[in-house]
Amino acid sequence: MADLLQRNLLFVTGKGGVGKTSIAAALALLASQHGRRVLLCEVDAKGATAQVLETGPTTFDEREVSPGLWAMSMDTEASLKEYLRLQLRLPLLSRIGPLARTFDFVANAAPGVREILVVGKLCWEVRKGEYDLVVVDAPASGHVVGQLAAPQAITELVKVGPVRDQTGWMLDILGDPARTGVVIVSTPEEMPVNETLQLATRLEKETVVDLAAVVVNRVLPELFSRSEEQVFRRLRRPATTAALSEAAGGPVDLVLDGAELAVRLRRTRADHLDELREGLRGTELLYVPELFQRTYGLRATRQLASALQDELGL
Amino acid sequence: MACGPPASSPPPSRTSWGSDVATAERSASLDQLLASKEIVICCGSGGVGKTTVAAALATMAAVHLGGKVLVITVDPARRLANALGLEEFGNVETQVPCERFTAAGAGTRGELWAAMLDTKQSWDDLVRAHAPDPTTRDAILANPLYANITGRFVQSHDYIAMERLYEIHQSGRYDLIVVDTPPTRNALDFLEAPERMADFFSSRLLRWLTAPARSRLVTMASRPFYTIADRILGSQFLEDIAEFFLLFQTMYRGFVERSTAVTRTLTDKRTTFVVVSTLEPAPVREAEFFVDALGQRKCHLGAIVVNKVLPDWFTTPGASTAASRLVDDAAHVAATLPKNVGSRDQVARVLQEVGESFLNFRLVAKREAEQRTELAARADALAAVPYADHDITDLPGLLELGSHLWREP
């Protein structure tokens, strides 16, 4: 599984609220700690990457935020300018400003234009080879398929012309499982699990991109073994609980209620995990424990990176 | 037709820790709010339980306030959809059968209806309504770009959700409509969608794009935009785009008027917004951002609903002292217990686990309490729904969730 980080392009996605941005940042951080040159790109420019890495605002021009780790945020207009300059060698730089604005407008309506500018830029970074790994904090599950399928959509719609020619090499990169993969982040809860399974199916049907791994985030710890659970049951007898409260100097019944809740949550989550495993045979699952963090800054991201490191056997 | 006698009281709270979540901080309440509005729009970031909250609000309104209530959901979990009687995907409005209320032990004053949003079908309906003639209509529906734009691309969801809301509201078929908003990249997209659509259709760009097709005197090549666009996209594609927009422009007037009306509805007195969030830092940030944005647009913020809240007894001071003792002093505490509980070592280990687990959850509960205080300051009404260890899949579940949103039966 260490070969996950040996790929060149990873799209990290998942249902909203599962910790997609934190996991993307943790994977990027981990790869950079293992000597790879990594570019982390946030596609929805909400500034979440800046928060989990504590870097300050990121821009379209990447910046080294820690040794071996560069961060950037996507900007379709900037991407268009770069594209025109590099790919088409258009000598019209001075006129590109208003053009880009116009183009942005068309991109709102014309299919795939915005998407191709995003995917195109990411593939271009891979093609250039300046980085060993590009980690994409991609849009949530509902939107990522449209983005990854954009090169094909363009191929179907645009019959000739330079854009059509451009999609060829993008599809080569996207379709090569040794280089490119999707990482779906999920939690062991009903909706995230369902969405993960649906997304896995859609990725296979509608895109050329390989599902590299599923990260199951916020897995609760197993508190007790079977025999310890019996001890726990006996602790819940009113007389025992009363004795405990006496000895511990406070309402132990609440503490036991808390453990009960933790055990119950763990159980229901275990069922959802089984469903996920069942539905994803052949896909590697990486488990990240619930970390009970205070905040979601760099410290928490480092903890996630170290949990992932253990899971990947690095 | 209303079904059954009115409910006399809300169903009892079944979650063991549910009733412990304090709800006292509301000054206004959701039951008042829902009694005074015609449209309730639930919004918030992904994964916070928007759909379930929307369904629960509609259910409570039907049961306790009466009237004809419709909930429009965007992408419900299959089992929740089944709970609402939505067996198949489509724009059809379906009434939740009376028997389900009776079976759930709740009579209902009113009627609960549910519908899902089918983007493609909604767009087709819109085109049918606004196309000037059957030929144009068919040409639009057959255009390859049309299928792509309406089916594949996200912003069209935002627009069509608001458009459909407007249409149903205009029809006057319902007393109250509760809408679950689509999962947007940016929580504001759907608010701005009608305006953007209007902008787009009134734009010079559109006229520009469609000019060559209208007038052969102006060749595409004579305009710099086309020179460049042609090199980028290829002329066939450009012609497809031009044709598409030319066709769409025939619907210009209807569309712009409509978009303006939809925008008006969003700021109307009869419309309110309910921001749904969990108490995780990221959704809270987004909720705050959303509250600000609603204010800027003069939209009415009715309430904030915080979902999946840990019970507040985690923060009881004495309990955390006891938990710390269990962790630090497990062996001694274990020694005070009768032998039949288990071996000393095993009991000590269990006590330590129990204490640590409690302290972990306590940290999260405290963090949540802080976030909740911050959110409560931003809205007239705040309701808290406790964390449930099961997903809501039926009407009793929705009523149970709803009981946390309601102040009075």
Side-chain angles (χ1 to χ4, degrees):
Chain A
M1 259 321 282
D3 68 34
L4 179 69
L5 301 182
Q6 295 301 319
R7 301 196 197 205
N8 305 115
L9 180 57
L10 291 176
F11 291 89
V12 182
T13 181
K15 183 173 167 57
V18 297
K20 175 175 70 70
T21 300
S22 298
I23 295 291
L27 279 172
L29 189 64
L30 179 63
S32 73
Q33 286 164 351
H34 286 265
R36 309 210 78 203
R37 287 170 62 88
V38 184
L39 174 65
L40 174 63
C41 175
E42 180 179 11
V43 170
D44 290 346
K46 280 184 183 170
T49 298
Q51 269 162 8
V52 294
L53 288 175
E54 296 176 21
T55 61
T58 51
T59 61
F60 187 72
D61 295 317
E62 67 265 36
R63 188 160 54 84
E64 190 168 10
V65 294
S66 70
L69 176 58
W70 283 257
M72 66 167 285
S73 49
M74 187 51 74
D75 173 340
T76 37
E77 186 176 324
S79 174
L80 174 66
K81 284 185 196 168
E82 188 178 273
Y83 171 73
L84 294 177
R85 190 163 46 83
L86 293 171
Q87 300 296 314
L88 301 178
R89 295 183 187 80
L90 280 177
L92 287 165
L93 277 173
S94 58
R95 297 162 80 165
I96 279 172
L99 168 68
R101 271 199 297 283
T102 315
F103 207 92
D104 198 47
F105 224 59
V106 179
N108 270 324
V113 173
R114 190 179 291 283
E115 283 76 6
I116 201 82
L117 286 171
V118 171
V119 173
K121 161 74 179 169
L122 297 165
C123 288
W124 171 245
E125 288 302 331
V126 171
R127 193 187 189 190
K128 244 188 342 183
E130 219 170 280
Y131 299 100
D132 302 316
L133 171 63
V134 177
V135 177
V136 188
D137 180 3
S141 351
H143 309 311
V144 76
V145 173
Q147 209 155 66
L148 293 175
Q152 285 144 285
I154 292 279
T155 311
E156 287 158 26
L157 283 163
V158 185
K159 301 301 178 209
V160 288
V163 163
R164 164 95 200 208
D165 303 339
Q166 296 295 336
T167 54
W169 64 264
M170 290 185 203
L171 284 168
D172 286 346
I173 291 178
L174 292 173
D176 180 357
R179 307 181 74 182
T180 305
V182 172
V183 175
I184 308 178
V185 183
S186 188
T187 53
E189 294 168 286
E190 185 186 20
M191 290 287 278
V193 164
N194 288 346
E195 215 169 291
T196 301
L197 295 176
Q198 279 167 16
L199 179 58
T201 313
R202 285 193 65 193
L203 281 173
E204 190 166 350
K205 273 196 196 143
E206 298 173 38
T207 76
V208 296
V209 191
D210 177 53
L211 173 56
V214 169
V215 174
V216 191
N217 197 10
R218 302 193 193 135
V219 177
L220 287 169
E222 181 82 88
L223 287 187
F224 310 125
S225 67
R226 205 172 285 261
S227 64
E228 283 169 343
E229 179 140 6
Q230 280 163 5
V231 173
F232 178 70
R233 294 285 147 230
R234 291 196 282 271
L235 291 175
R236 301 227 69 178
R237 288 178 193 149
T240 318
T241 307
L244 264 179
S245 295
E246 183 77 17
V252 170
D253 51 326
L254 293 183
V255 182
L256 295 176
D257 282 350
E260 184 92 54
L261 172 61
V263 167
R264 204 154 62 219
L265 284 181
R266 152 108 201 159
R267 283 255 161 79
T268 34
R269 289 189 180 194
D271 294 343
H272 295 308
L273 258 181
D274 288 344
E275 200 185 324
L276 190 65
R277 264 190 292 257
E278 190 66 25
L280 286 175
R281 296 211 167 167
T283 305
E284 201 80 27
L285 267 63
L286 303 169
Y287 302 97
V288 175
E290 170 73 65
L291 294 173
F292 298 102
Q293 291 125 331
R294 198 173 288 266
T295 58
Y296 289 79
L298 184 55
R299 191 178 139 75
T301 307
R302 286 203 187 107
Q303 281 178 302
L304 287 176
S306 111
L308 284 166
Q309 172 169 274
D310 294 345
E311 277 295 289
L312 288 166
L314 289 167
Chain B
M1 277 288 290
C3 20
S8 52
S9 62
S13 170
R14 303 209 77 109
T15 324
S16 58
W17 60 87
S19 52
D20 299 328
V21 173
T23 46
E25 64 216 75
R26 308 177 221 166
S27 53
S29 68
L30 277 154
D31 32 330
Q32 282 172 26
L33 185 72
L34 265 64
S36 64
K37 299 291 175 188
E38 291 177 14
I39 295 177
V40 177
I41 300 174
C42 293
C43 45
S45 58
V48 297
K50 246 182 329 203
T51 308
T52 321
V53 168
L57 281 174
T59 307
M60 291 303 276
V63 168
H64 297 288
L65 300 173
K68 236 181 130 177
V69 181
L70 173 71
V71 56
I72 307 176
T73 75
V74 177
D75 185 19
R78 202 179 338 107
R79 290 191 294 167
L80 178 63
N82 291 345
L84 292 170
L86 294 169
E87 261 87 37
E88 57 193 277
F89 192 74
N91 272 339
V92 192
E93 296 149 33
T94 324
Q95 184 176 5
V96 179
C98 298
E99 304 86 75
R100 300 207 185 188
F101 283 93
T102 322
T108 169
R109 265 179 226 285
E111 298 173 22
L112 177 62
W113 290 69
M116 268 189 263
L117 182 73
D118 181 334
T119 310
K120 174 86 177 84
Q121 200 197 322
S122 302
W123 270 106
D124 291 356
D125 291 348
L126 200 61
V127 168
R128 286 198 188 94
H130 291 295
D133 55 73
T135 320
T136 313
R137 179 195 66 205
D138 295 343
I140 292 174
L141 295 177
N143 186 293
L145 290 188
Y146 170 74
N148 248 291
I149 288 172
T150 52
R152 206 183 296 226
F153 294 92
V154 185
Q155 285 182 348
S156 77
H157 286 52
D158 301 333
Y159 176 70
I160 210 70
M162 292 304 114
E163 153 68 36
R164 189 148 160 72
L165 167 66
Y166 172 78
E167 193 214 299
I168 297 176
H169 182 243
Q170 283 298 100
S171 78
R173 290 196 298 273
Y174 297 94
D175 296 288
L176 174 69
I177 306 170
V178 182
V179 205
D180 161 33
T181 51
T184 45
R185 294 182 189 198
N186 179 334
L188 291 176
D189 280 353
F190 76 88
L191 278 182
E192 285 167 358
E195 221 171 305
R196 253 199 326 256
M197 197 58 77
D199 276 358
F200 187 76
F201 279 99
S202 351
S203 73
R204 272 179 59 209
L205 171 77
L206 195 52
R207 267 173 276 157
W208 207 22
L209 267 175
T210 50
R214 270 184 294 178
S215 162
R216 297 291 164 198
L217 292 174
V218 188
T219 63
M220 276 162 90
S222 71
R223 291 172 181 275
F225 174 78
Y226 284 106
T227 319
I228 297 167
D230 192 42
R231 283 187 64 183
I232 300 171
L233 296 166
S235 51
Q236 179 57 48
F237 183 57
L238 216 57
E239 270 172 39
D240 284 349
I241 293 184
E243 191 212 47
F244 172 72
F245 286 123
L246 187 65
L247 287 169
F248 241 61
Q249 221 178 14
T250 60
M251 305 190 298
Y252 168 77
R253 184 183 283 277
F255 253 81
V256 173
E257 276 171 13
R258 191 69 172 219
S259 307
T260 318
V262 174
T263 307
R264 250 197 328 267
T265 306
L266 294 179
T267 51
D268 194 284
K269 279 257 174 238
R270 295 168 296 175
T271 302
T272 190
F273 288 78
V274 170
V275 175
V276 185
S277 182
T278 61
L279 291 170
E280 295 278 315
V284 167
R285 265 199 310 276
E286 201 139 332
E288 287 176 335
F289 173 72
F290 204 84
V291 167
D292 291 341
L294 288 174
Q296 281 158 19
R297 283 171 182 70
K298 302 198 163 38
C299 293
H300 181 259
L301 170 67
I304 296 178
V305 172
V306 288
N307 196 9
K308 305 184 185 177
V309 177
L310 282 177
D312 57 4
W313 44 253
F314 271 117
T315 57
T316 309
S320 63
T321 316
S324 306
R325 265 302 279 289
L326 295 184
V327 175
D328 300 339
D329 226 3
H332 284 108
V333 178
T336 65
L337 293 178
K339 290 232 161 47
N340 65 4
V341 177
S343 75
R344 289 265 160 90
D345 287 353
Q346 208 171 28
V347 172
R349 214 197 76 79
V350 170
L351 290 177
Q352 206 159 1
E353 281 289 334
V354 164
E356 252 158 31
S357 170
F358 184 89
L359 293 174
N360 278 334
F361 276 92
R362 183 193 61 148
L363 177 73
V364 178
K366 286 214 164 182
R367 187 186 71 200
E368 286 191 355
E370 172 60 22
Q371 305 271 26
R372 183 167 156 188
T373 313
E374 284 172 21
L375 280 179
R378 290 170 153 266
D380 292 337
L382 182 131
V385 179
Y387 200 110
D389 54 1
H390 52 87
D391 294 290
I392 290 174
T393 55
D394 53 15
L395 208 50
L398 288 176
L399 288 163
E400 148 72 21
L401 194 161
S403 70
H404 298 285
L405 303 171
W406 230 239
R407 184 149 60 180
E408 293 297 334

